Amino acid sequence: MHAELYDRAVGYVLDGAAPHVLHTLANQQPLDVALVARPDAVVTGARLDAVAAAHPGWTQDGAQAARRTVYRTAPAPVLARFGRLLTSVSRDDGADVTERLVRLVDDVGRLTTSARGRQGSEGVEETLARWTPELMSEVVREYGLPDDAAVAVVLQVLVRRDRTSDQRRALVRNMAGDAFLVRHAGILARVVTALDAAGKRSFLDLAARNLEAHAGLVATLVVDKAPEVRASATALIARLSDGAQVRALAPHLTVADPDRLDAVVAHLAAVDGGVAALGDALARLASGRFDDEREQVLRRVLDGELNP
């Protein structure tokens, strides 16, 4: 990238000046900027040599250290503009806010978790400590989203599973991440239930860190439409005390799809207090709207535990 374009790009990131530089970068695809925008791509030695030739003194390690400095020190507006620049250079200027955050968070994860303990990796722990979900929410709000919508974007990015999601794990598997998930439990439930099966199982991995706090949402996944999600959620909720399992699962007996109840009923029948909860559910069915299919599931799985 020639000096004038470089100065315009830096100026945009620092203070928002001349935003049309994003369009220029997207069309020109400078080799050196593309290395930053797509740091997960396979890069040949020839390509690295070409960038080094254009920028004497440039090294890949030095570039990574510079980005870590940005992530460790830059305020949220600068980080937000850097995210927009990364997606623009990747010819992804139409990317939504979620993908802009993914670009940033993936790069932070890559530059920190892979650099721990390596020479020249100064600032790794400070960067990891700074990149909490709260900071991510602050960055997303710079794109004009209100608080709840910003939180939803952050939760989706941290919980969903895709080809690069493993690079984000260190940024949520910590006390700050645990607290964020609990503090925004209502939004988390909406995000998780809208995910695909892989994303829901990814959430279950996180929920295991603080299972009692997420017992209600885990119980919802025990009656999920995907069999693999139901199996994972059932195995996880079994780690709770019998009483906690009953409290979490009992509400689903009268509302969940009857086709997904067999395993839940069998599971409850095997824990202390579960048979009583099943009896309460049958009593509620008898006093309310007739639900023959659900009643048959409850009685069939219990077979002999309750009197008809």
Side-chain angles (χ1 to χ4, degrees):
M1 175 168 44
H2 59 76
E4 187 270 337
L5 183 57
Y6 173 85
D7 289 341
R8 286 166 56 200
V10 171
Y12 167 74
V13 171
L14 291 179
D15 58 25
H20 56 273
V21 72
L22 299 177
H23 180 71
T24 302
L25 290 170
N27 288 330
Q28 291 191 12
Q29 288 284 288
L31 182 63
D32 45 356
V33 180
L35 285 178
V36 177
R38 293 189 293 272
D40 56 332
V42 175
V43 181
T44 65
R47 195 173 196 191
L48 292 175
D49 291 344
V51 174
H55 301 278
W58 179 92
T59 65
Q60 191 172 31
D61 286 346
Q64 291 175 351
R67 292 210 304 287
R68 280 198 299 273
T69 299
V70 172
Y71 293 136
R72 188 174 72 253
T73 62
V78 170
L79 294 170
R81 288 191 290 271
F82 189 48
R84 193 186 292 271
L85 181 142
L86 294 183
T87 55
S88 179
V89 172
S90 300
R91 289 190 176 147
D92 213 3
D93 192 34
D96 63 14
V97 172
T98 300
E99 294 310 311
R100 291 175 192 159
L101 184 62
V102 165
R103 289 275 180 184
L104 289 170
V105 175
D106 279 359
D107 200 29
V108 171
R110 186 182 304 107
L111 292 175
T112 51
T113 57
S114 64
R116 276 176 158 167
R118 284 174 40 193
Q119 185 177 5
S121 60
E122 293 82 2
V124 166
E125 298 304 327
E126 293 91 335
T127 303
L128 280 171
R130 185 187 186 216
W131 272 79
T132 64
E134 292 293 354
L135 175 65
M136 297 175 207
S137 300
E138 189 178 348
V139 170
V140 171
R141 286 196 293 272
E142 290 294 327
Y143 295 126
L145 271 65
D147 288 350
D148 284 0
V151 168
V153 167
V154 172
L155 288 170
Q156 183 183 37
V157 167
L158 292 176
V159 174
R160 77 183 193 181
R161 181 165 289 166
D162 53 44
R163 68 181 184 86
T164 60
S165 56
D166 286 347
Q167 295 159 353
R168 303 170 209 142
R169 291 299 169 213
L171 301 177
V172 68
R173 290 183 179 277
N174 50 46
M175 292 179 63
D178 294 341
F180 189 82
L181 296 182
V182 172
R183 185 161 55 252
H184 299 291
I187 300 174
L188 177 65
R190 295 197 296 272
V191 168
V192 169
T193 53
L195 293 173
D196 60 14
K200 289 171 181 174
R201 295 181 72 185
S202 177
F203 161 73
L204 291 170
D205 291 341
L206 293 174
R209 293 175 50 88
N210 195 0
L211 182 53
E212 290 189 2
H214 299 296
L217 184 49
V218 173
T220 297
L221 299 182
V222 170
V223 292
D224 188 74
K225 63 183 178 181
E228 63 271 31
V229 174
R230 296 201 298 271
S232 295
T234 301
L236 181 58
I237 209 164
R239 300 183 193 177
L240 292 169
S241 68
D242 286 0
Q245 292 182 58
V246 171
R247 288 191 295 274
L249 291 171
H252 295 281
L253 294 174
T254 55
V255 295
D257 188 324
D259 291 340
R260 305 171 196 168
L261 277 181
D262 279 357
V264 179
V265 176
H267 184 83
L268 280 174
V271 303
D272 188 29
V275 171
L278 294 169
D280 289 343
L282 279 171
R284 289 197 298 276
L285 289 175
S287 63
R289 180 176 58 85
F290 183 69
D291 194 341
D292 184 59
E293 184 180 3
R294 186 182 307 277
E295 182 175 353
Q296 287 180 17
V297 171
L298 296 176
R299 292 190 183 282
R300 182 175 66 249
V301 180
L302 274 177
D303 190 27
E305 293 289 345
L306 292 175
N307 293 322

